[in-house]
Amino acid sequence: MSPKKWRALNTEVRQEQIIQAAMELIAVRGLKGFSMAALANRIGLVPSAAYRHFKGKEEVFDRILDFIQERLLVNIRITCEETSEPLERLHRILMRHVETLRGNRAIPRIIFAEDVFNGNAKRRTKIYGIINGYLGALNEIIREGQQKAHIRPDLEPETIALMFLGMIQPGAILWFLSEGNFNLSEHSEMNWCVFREAIQIR
Amino acid sequence: MSPKKWRALNTEVRQEQIIQAAMELIAVRGLKGFSMAALANRIGLVPSAAYRHFKGKEEVFDRILDFIQERLLVNIRITCEETSEPLERLHRILMRHVETLRGNRAIPRIIFAEDVFNGNAKRRTKIYGIINGYLGALNEIIREGQQKAHIRPDLEPETIALMFLGMIQPGAILWFLSEGNFNLSEHSEMNWCVFREAIQIR
DNA sequence: TGTACATCAGTGAACGCGCGTTCACTGATGTAC
DNA sequence: TGTACATCAGTGAACGCGCGTTCACTGATGTAC
């Protein structure tokens, strides 16, 4: 079929290619576009070949979730290495989060798509865990900010952490629905100003 | 088949039943559970009978979106009739919004499920329009609050309106993922306190 | 009031399609002796 | 260094399933005369 010499690649390489292809497919065509056939074709394989590297669609999806979790937590980790000032940390995490969404359009599609976990309690729990893990990391930063007297101590860290996500989500949906026309970064920056004033000690 | 006498109902009644059944299905089983077959069975019809009352699945979905739009805007309308105090309006709209989500679990599933509009530009535009319409109504209330010197005039009404949605969305997702264990009302109330302080004139 | 016909909601069988998955087979590469 | 065999990635045909949709048909109700 192909003019150039036929070449088999080992499983690790293929697994990475498949996850990558899946993310691209979801980014461009949505969750419906994420099929084993489309996946395989995208990296020049026949659909059944994908089953040499993954047990099935479920496993591919699980790996995608792992990837997303990792991406989000890395943002927090490197930010915390950069600075120890709590408000500055939150600000940078916000900006990195937005950039991550802009760079990986598949992420909001998966996280928001409540559809994904239906009839699959394990998956639902997994996504719940990812979000809670992220919120937990934010909680820690916020609590530190309260101890250092940078953040109002009368607010629950959990409330602040959720409002943090609230700065991003509605904008992300509008950005997505408007096919990129809505200015997500600018909007987040304005939200941040209001948010910071609301939580910092005046 | 059925023991009780066979009875045909007219199209208006059936249309209402079908929309209702569709919302229930989405609420309980997610968007994947929304099929013409399940729909029809739920109201005691054979799948093909549904096509007597709707051209197809697309049309059913369009009508669901109309229903949601109506529900959201009604919340704003009746609140504005109750009180003319801008901050009180926003507070009540927030509570009503939360109650609407709790009463119609299908709504967050549809609005968040970015999947829905894929490959269907018209539908995407329609949902964008619904959200923008809601934001527009909030904008008006906010602008009035700024003119009456209840709300800080240095903030863009659009920013405030989006943050308003941000009070609801992350909580709604957690509430959904936790299968109702997350206390959405309480969380919204706490968010409101922070939000009000952030936008009101001190 | 009775008859002939149109309308309208509901039925069941059948279709085409896409998708996830399986399986026997192939051909290249790695390994044991 | 050469031969025999195992392993491993890729192939293509085929499956079963669910779903959206169509269509000829049925039986009750409404309407015209």
Side-chain angles (χ1 to χ4, degrees):
Chain A
M1 194 60 121
S2 126
K4 69 176 181 177
K5 206 172 179 311
W6 180 79
R7 180 90 181 88
L9 297 176
N10 71 33
T11 286
E12 286 108 64
V13 174
R14 287 302 195 196
Q15 283 186 345
E16 212 160 308
Q17 287 182 335
I18 286 172
I19 298 297
Q20 190 58 35
M23 298 277 291
E24 286 163 14
L25 275 170
I26 294 174
V28 174
R29 287 189 237 161
L31 275 164
K32 268 188 220 144
F34 163 44
S35 73
M36 292 301 274
L39 210 67
N41 287 334
R42 205 174 172 86
I43 57 172
L45 289 181
V46 106
S48 57
Y51 289 83
R52 290 271 163 251
H53 312 292
F54 287 98
K55 281 202 302 207
K57 203 185 179 186
E58 286 279 296
E59 205 185 17
V60 176
F61 198 82
D62 266 359
R63 288 283 299 270
I64 292 177
L65 290 182
D66 293 339
F67 175 85
I68 292 175
Q69 172 157 239
E70 181 61 18
R71 268 305 268 262
L72 293 177
L73 291 182
V74 156
N75 282 346
I76 293 185
R77 204 179 309 138
I78 58 179
T79 302
C80 285
E81 283 164 11
E82 276 176 10
T83 173
S84 62
E85 216 277 291
L87 284 170
E88 185 58 25
R89 277 182 173 175
L90 291 178
H91 188 197
R92 292 194 193 180
I93 289 169
L94 174 65
M95 291 300 127
R96 283 213 165 90
H97 192 120
V98 168
E99 283 315 305
T100 301
L101 296 190
R102 282 161 55 93
N104 300 20
R105 300 171 67 125
I107 295 180
R109 294 205 176 195
I110 292 167
I111 294 292
F112 294 160
E114 332 232 354
D115 199 27
V116 174
F117 8 90
N118 220 231
N120 190 334
K122 247 180 75 186
R123 187 179 287 173
R124 184 193 287 251
T125 308
K126 184 160 188 172
I127 296 185
Y128 193 45
I130 291 175
I131 297 181
N132 268 332
Y134 195 71
L135 287 173
L138 291 176
N139 266 356
E140 244 180 79
I141 295 173
I142 293 164
R143 223 174 279 124
E144 214 181 301
Q146 291 176 323
Q147 282 163 5
K148 290 187 179 174
H150 292 174
I151 294 177
R152 285 172 54 184
D154 58 316
L155 302 175
E156 294 289 336
E158 286 80 13
T159 304
I160 299 178
L162 264 176
M163 287 190 85
F164 182 89
L165 289 189
M167 280 194 285
I168 302 162
Q169 274 191 25
I173 288 184
L174 280 190
W175 166 71
F176 169 81
L177 283 171
S178 69
E179 316 219 39
N181 288 329
F182 180 85
N183 192 327
L184 185 54
S185 307
E186 194 190 313
H187 158 253
S188 302
E189 195 57 55
M190 295 199 303
N191 268 7
W192 169 254
C193 294
V194 182
F195 182 79
R196 191 193 51 221
E197 278 190 58
I199 66 165
Q200 76 186 354
I201 290 181
R202 289 184 284 263
Chain B
M1 195 57 122
S2 128
K4 69 175 179 177
K5 205 170 178 315
W6 180 79
R7 180 91 181 88
L9 296 176
N10 71 33
T11 287
E12 285 109 63
V13 174
R14 287 302 194 196
Q15 284 187 344
E16 212 160 307
Q17 286 182 334
I18 287 172
I19 298 297
Q20 190 58 35
M23 298 278 291
E24 287 163 16
L25 276 171
I26 295 173
V28 175
R29 288 189 238 162
L31 274 163
K32 268 188 219 143
F34 163 44
S35 74
M36 292 301 275
L39 210 67
N41 287 335
R42 203 174 173 84
I43 58 172
L45 289 181
V46 106
S48 56
Y51 289 82
R52 290 271 164 251
H53 311 293
F54 287 98
K55 281 202 301 204
K57 204 184 179 187
E58 287 277 296
E59 204 186 15
V60 176
F61 198 82
D62 266 359
R63 288 283 299 270
I64 293 177
L65 290 182
D66 292 341
F67 175 86
I68 292 175
Q69 173 157 239
E70 182 61 16
R71 269 303 270 262
L72 294 178
L73 291 182
V74 156
N75 282 346
I76 293 186
R77 205 179 309 139
I78 59 179
T79 303
C80 286
E81 283 165 9
E82 275 175 11
T83 174
S84 63
E85 218 276 291
L87 283 170
E88 185 57 25
R89 277 183 173 174
L90 290 179
H91 187 197
R92 292 194 193 181
I93 289 170
L94 174 65
M95 291 300 127
R96 284 213 165 88
H97 192 120
V98 167
E99 283 316 306
T100 300
L101 296 189
R102 283 161 55 94
N104 300 34
R105 301 170 68 126
I107 295 180
R109 294 206 176 194
I110 292 166
I111 293 293
F112 295 161
E114 332 233 353
D115 198 29
V116 174
F117 5 91
N118 220 232
N120 189 335
K122 246 181 75 186
R123 187 179 287 172
R124 184 193 287 250
T125 308
K126 184 161 188 170
I127 296 184
Y128 194 44
I130 291 176
I131 297 181
N132 269 332
Y134 196 72
L135 287 173
L138 292 176
N139 266 356
E140 245 180 79
I141 296 173
I142 293 163
R143 224 174 278 124
E144 215 181 302
Q146 292 177 321
Q147 281 162 7
K148 289 187 180 175
H150 293 174
I151 294 177
R152 285 171 55 183
D154 59 316
L155 302 175
E156 293 289 337
E158 286 79 15
T159 303
I160 299 178
L162 264 175
M163 287 190 85
F164 183 90
L165 289 189
M167 280 194 287
I168 301 163
Q169 273 192 26
I173 288 184
L174 280 190
W175 167 72
F176 170 82
L177 282 173
S178 70
E179 314 220 41
N181 288 328
F182 180 85
N183 192 328
L184 185 53
S185 307
E186 194 191 312
H187 157 254
S188 301
E189 196 57 55
M190 295 201 302
N191 269 8
W192 169 254
C193 294
V194 182
F195 183 77
R196 190 194 52 220
E197 277 191 57
I199 66 165
Q200 76 185 354
I201 291 182
R202 291 182 284 264

